[in-house]
Amino acid sequence: MRDTPAEPTMQHDRHEDPHRVAFAVAYRMLGSVAEAEDVAQEVALRLTAEDGAVENPAAWATTVATRLSIDVLRSARVRRETYPGPWLPEPVLEDPGPGPAERVALADTISQALLVALERLTPVERAAFLLREVFDYDYGRIAEIVDRSEDNARQLVSRAKRHVTAGRPRFDPDDEARDRLVGRFLAAVDGGDLRGLEDVLAEDVVLWGDGGGVVVAAKIPVHGAAAVARFLVHTHPSRRGRADATFAPARVNGQPGRILRHGDGTVDAVFAFDVVDGRIAAIRVVRNPEKLRHLGATP
């Protein structure tokens, strides 16, 4: 299994590992572990070719990773527009190393909710937004990186913030309370308890499933507590002939989550939960095997 680089802090200084920096930028730009790793590797190769002539390798890596990611997004636009069913980012699991304050910051900038919201933006808007709101670059530097005027960089960020804010919920901050809620959710799913499920789901909860046209998943979002509860009970692994499947706790893109594995170790799905006002407001289920390979064995 390929190791995903640990998350760096938000502001990059010259002493940070350029590979980590490049991956952090590219993953937020692309929502793909595999593509982000490709970008990070290309950045490393180009940095080696510079033969020590770069004064601030981390800042240099940010610039190159951003520009490479813009190119990747442009080439992937048609592919994403024709993606079969909902598109979700490839899940990343939290490195247990950072302290609580840093985990909160990271959770807010790699959440699947944010990465999905960023899909509404053009590649350059996405870059400008992330450089400003996540990596805290000033507008002059952003303008240099995306090859725009400083005034245009400000406009890009402002326009992006308007688009993103509408789809970016503020999550409940209490990790223990969120984990307890997810535990109640899983107990209700395992027991086929529809009423128990509805008690932990927000009335307007939405479930997205990403099977990539390869495996079975919800082809359209499922809306509402009653409909989501019925869907989850009906599609439980034990009702699909896989009684050996087990859920393992995980923090997925900074949010409470679970990994569903079969007895032979294959990853069936990764669940990420948005908890808002004491209820589960959104569930994102990634089942596309291509998006799970970096987590270990997949079907």
Side-chain angles (χ1 to χ4, degrees):
M1 179 175 67
R2 179 177 59 201
D3 291 332
T4 299
E7 288 289 339
T9 55
M10 293 300 95
Q11 296 186 26
H12 303 315
D13 64 45
R14 60 181 297 151
H15 301 294
E16 287 189 83
D17 177 4
H19 186 278
R20 282 167 42 112
V21 171
F23 183 90
V25 171
Y27 177 74
R28 289 172 173 85
M29 282 287 293
L30 304 172
S32 165
V33 172
E35 290 176 336
E37 183 61 27
D38 288 343
V39 167
Q41 293 288 0
E42 178 63 21
V43 169
L45 288 172
R46 294 190 184 190
L47 183 58
T48 299
E50 293 291 326
D51 196 25
V54 176
E55 182 178 350
N56 188 329
W60 186 92
T62 298
T63 299
V64 177
T66 300
R67 291 172 178 170
L68 289 173
S69 297
I70 289 173
D71 291 340
V72 173
L73 278 179
R74 284 172 173 161
S75 66
R77 180 64 65 185
V78 173
R79 175 162 48 88
R80 292 197 180 184
E81 288 174 351
T82 58
Y83 193 82
W87 178 93
L88 295 175
E90 292 182 17
V92 293
L93 307 186
E94 181 181 293
D95 181 345
E102 187 175 357
R103 282 201 298 270
V104 171
L106 294 176
D108 197 39
T109 67
I110 61 169
S111 74
Q112 294 217 345
L114 174 60
L115 296 179
V116 169
L118 291 176
E119 287 293 299
R120 304 173 185 176
L121 308 179
T122 68
V124 175
E125 285 175 341
R126 187 165 181 159
F129 175 86
L130 289 170
L131 289 169
R132 179 63 182 173
E133 297 298 308
V134 175
F135 298 109
D136 199 28
Y137 275 68
D138 62 45
Y139 288 106
R141 186 73 184 100
I142 294 169
E144 292 178 15
I145 292 173
V146 301
D147 194 24
R148 296 290 193 277
S149 69
E150 187 168 334
D151 285 344
N152 188 237
R154 290 179 182 274
Q155 292 169 6
L156 287 169
V157 173
S158 177
R159 187 161 60 241
K161 287 174 69 173
R162 288 196 300 270
H163 284 295
V164 170
T165 300
R168 188 182 186 185
R170 293 298 176 185
F171 308 115
D172 288 2
D174 188 332
D175 282 349
E176 291 185 2
R178 293 190 304 179
D179 289 340
R180 285 196 300 270
L181 185 70
V182 172
R184 289 173 55 197
F185 163 87
L186 290 173
V189 172
D190 286 341
D193 181 0
L194 290 173
R195 178 168 294 184
L197 267 174
E198 292 186 45
D199 285 344
V200 300
L201 297 174
E203 185 176 345
D204 58 351
V205 63
V206 184
L207 179 146
W208 289 271
D210 182 343
V214 180
V215 296
V216 176
K219 293 183 178 179
I220 59 174
V222 182
H223 294 264
V228 168
R230 288 194 301 271
F231 178 85
L232 289 166
V233 168
H234 178 71
T235 58
H236 190 277
S238 66
R239 297 169 186 87
R240 293 189 277 119
R242 298 302 300 259
D244 63 337
T246 57
F247 286 96
R251 194 156 300 280
V252 179
N253 288 71
Q255 303 302 319
R258 292 294 187 273
I259 300 176
L260 179 62
R261 290 183 186 269
H262 297 306
D264 60 3
T266 59
V267 178
D268 181 281
V270 172
F271 289 69
F273 304 93
D274 295 352
V275 177
V276 181
D277 296 332
R279 297 288 182 93
I280 295 173
I283 304 171
R284 296 177 178 83
V285 186
V286 179
R287 295 201 67 222
N288 183 348
E290 292 297 322
K291 294 187 175 184
L292 302 176
R293 293 196 185 282
H294 62 287
L295 301 179
T298 55

